[in-house]
């Protein structure tokens, strides 16, 4: 069985940090996917114990378009290169009316990240440029590191990344171990923070894209209790356009983490 990969920056390659002994199949999580007729996977890495629990390990090794989870990487490169000066940097609205009204305005970087504004980060990618973006994709070994059109390659199925690789990325981001300045990593990790309560901290970035007839959904991040982080990745697909993807992501993530004893401040 191929083990699950984490990012080893000293060699700038995806490297397996676990062994077959600490990867356990979580067949019991299947019910959360079959309930909605979804093909998907969920990965949970307990950093303190060094153990993985994974539902659908084969899918965890497959690559899919990253959709808006790429905003993590795009933000890192933008801040590192100075294309984004800080999280308050505003990019003016281009006056093109889009389907999400909240995008149709001038946005600061922190607003754009939380609203998952596609046009904001398309402009960031254009300003970064193909050559610079390619160098960073290659050095970090991000997925298949393929660029098509510079402002849509993470949406049009050119760039692909596996849930396994996504887990490596967010883990290294949390520990400031990516090849970016510490300040840059801390800023991006801060943007991912969704809930900061006395019992737990929950940080993640979502994604939702289309590949042919399939809608691909993502959630990648971590939950921290008592200063002990656990990292997770949710990925699933459906051809049912009537499903509420944002609601399903939340439902599955919270159901699994609750089943595993999180949100109580006892981990």
């Amino acid at each position: 069985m191929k083990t699950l990969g984490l990012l080893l920056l000293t060699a700038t390659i995806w490297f397996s940090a676990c062994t077959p002994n600490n990867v356990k199949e979580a067949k019991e999580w299947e019910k959360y996917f079959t309930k909605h007729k979804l093909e998907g996977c969920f990965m949970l890495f307990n950093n303190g114990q060094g153990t993985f629990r994974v539902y659908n390990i084969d899918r965890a090794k497959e690559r899919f378009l990253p959709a808006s989870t790429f905003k993590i990487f795009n933000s890192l490169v933008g801040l590192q290169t100075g294309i984004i000066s800080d999280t308050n940097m505003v990019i003016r609205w281009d006056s093109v009316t889009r389907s999400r009204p909240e995008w149709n305005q001038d946005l600061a970087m922190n607003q754009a990240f939380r609203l998952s504004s596609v046009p904001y980060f398309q402009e960031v990618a254009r300003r970064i440029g193909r050559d610079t973006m390619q160098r960073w994709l290659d050095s970090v070994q991000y997925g298949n590191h393929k660029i098509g059109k510079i402002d849509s390659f993470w949406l049009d199925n050119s760039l692909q990344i596996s849930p396994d690789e996504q887990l490596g990325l967010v883990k290294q981001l949390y520990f400031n171990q990516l090849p970016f300045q510490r300040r840059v990593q801390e800023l991006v990790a801060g943007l991912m923070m969704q809930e900061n309560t006395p019992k737990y901290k929950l940080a993640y970035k979502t994604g939702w894209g289309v590949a042919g007839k399939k809608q691909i959904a993502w959630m990648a991040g971590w939950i921290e209790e008592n200063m002990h982080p656990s990292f997770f990745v949710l990925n699933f697909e459906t051809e049912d356009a009537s499903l509420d993807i944002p609601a399903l992501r939340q439902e599955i993530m919270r159901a699994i983490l609750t089943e595993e004893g999180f949100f109580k401040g006892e981990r």
Side-chain angles (χ1 to χ4, degrees):
M1 178 181 67
K2 180 181 177 181
T3 55
L4 301 175
L6 294 176
L7 190 63
L8 180 65
L9 293 168
T10 55
T12 61
I13 59 172
W14 290 101
F15 181 80
S16 175
C18 64
T19 67
N21 292 330
N22 65 358
V23 180
K24 295 183 179 179
E25 293 267 14
K27 186 69 174 178
E28 66 272 23
W29 296 345
E30 183 178 22
K31 57 183 177 288
Y32 300 116
F33 295 88
T34 57
K35 176 182 177 181
H36 301 287
K37 299 179 180 179
L38 304 173
E39 176 70 20
C41 68
F42 194 91
M43 307 177 67
L44 182 62
F45 175 62
N46 183 312
N47 189 73
Q49 297 177 2
T51 58
F52 275 107
R53 300 205 67 213
V54 182
Y55 165 67
N56 199 346
I57 194 169
D58 289 336
R59 185 179 178 89
K61 296 179 288 186
E62 293 182 33
R63 286 174 171 165
F64 307 89
L65 61 88
S68 283
T69 61
F70 186 69
K71 288 182 175 68
I72 298 172
F73 190 87
N74 206 357
S75 297
L76 289 165
V77 178
L79 287 163
Q80 178 76 22
T81 59
I83 295 300
I84 304 174
S85 56
D86 57 47
T87 58
N88 294 313
M89 192 189 87
V90 174
I91 292 181
R92 301 296 180 186
W93 178 39
D94 60 8
S95 299
V96 176
T97 300
R98 296 176 175 84
S99 59
R100 291 185 58 174
E102 64 270 29
W103 294 354
N104 301 326
Q105 59 180 317
D106 298 347
L107 289 173
M109 188 261 196
N110 51 15
Q111 294 174 301
F113 193 94
R114 293 185 182 280
L115 293 173
S116 208
S117 172
V118 170
Y120 185 101
F121 284 93
Q122 286 182 308
E123 178 60 21
V124 169
R126 286 191 288 264
R127 294 184 187 185
I128 290 170
R130 184 185 186 92
D131 290 346
T132 299
M133 185 72 81
Q134 189 68 67
R135 284 196 297 272
W136 282 104
L137 289 169
D138 291 343
S139 66
V140 175
Q141 293 287 288
Y142 185 101
N144 65 357
H145 37 112
K146 289 185 178 179
I147 296 179
K149 189 177 178 182
I150 186 58
D151 59 3
S152 61
F153 65 93
W154 63 94
L155 300 168
D156 64 13
N157 223 33
S158 299
L159 184 67
Q160 296 183 332
I161 190 170
S162 70
D164 180 24
E165 291 167 323
Q166 290 268 37
L167 187 72
L169 183 72
V170 295
K171 179 180 183 291
Q172 297 299 315
L173 174 63
Y174 177 91
F175 287 112
N176 298 308
Q177 293 174 335
L178 289 168
F180 301 97
Q181 296 171 6
R182 184 182 184 91
R183 165 186 170 272
V184 167
Q185 294 179 79
E186 290 176 347
L187 285 173
V188 175
L191 291 171
M192 293 174 63
M193 188 62 62
Q194 302 290 334
E195 299 176 31
N196 190 345
T197 77
K199 292 184 178 181
Y200 65 89
K201 296 179 181 179
L202 180 65
Y204 58 81
K205 183 69 192 77
T206 58
W208 178 8
V210 178
K213 295 182 179 180
K214 297 178 180 179
Q215 299 186 70
I216 307 296
W218 287 99
M219 183 178 283
W222 58 84
I223 185 166
E224 179 184 323
E225 298 187 7
N226 300 308
M227 300 182 70
H228 298 144
S230 292
F231 302 91
F232 64 87
V233 174
L234 167 66
N235 168 276
F236 64 81
E237 66 184 54
T238 180
E239 294 186 13
D240 186 351
S242 69
L243 291 178
D244 186 341
I245 299 296
L248 284 177
R249 287 184 308 216
Q250 287 288 328
E251 176 186 323
I252 296 171
M253 176 271 290
R254 291 183 182 277
I256 292 176
L257 292 183
T258 298
E259 181 176 325
E260 294 303 306
F262 290 96
F263 302 114
K264 299 177 181 179
E266 298 173 355
R267 299 300 299 259

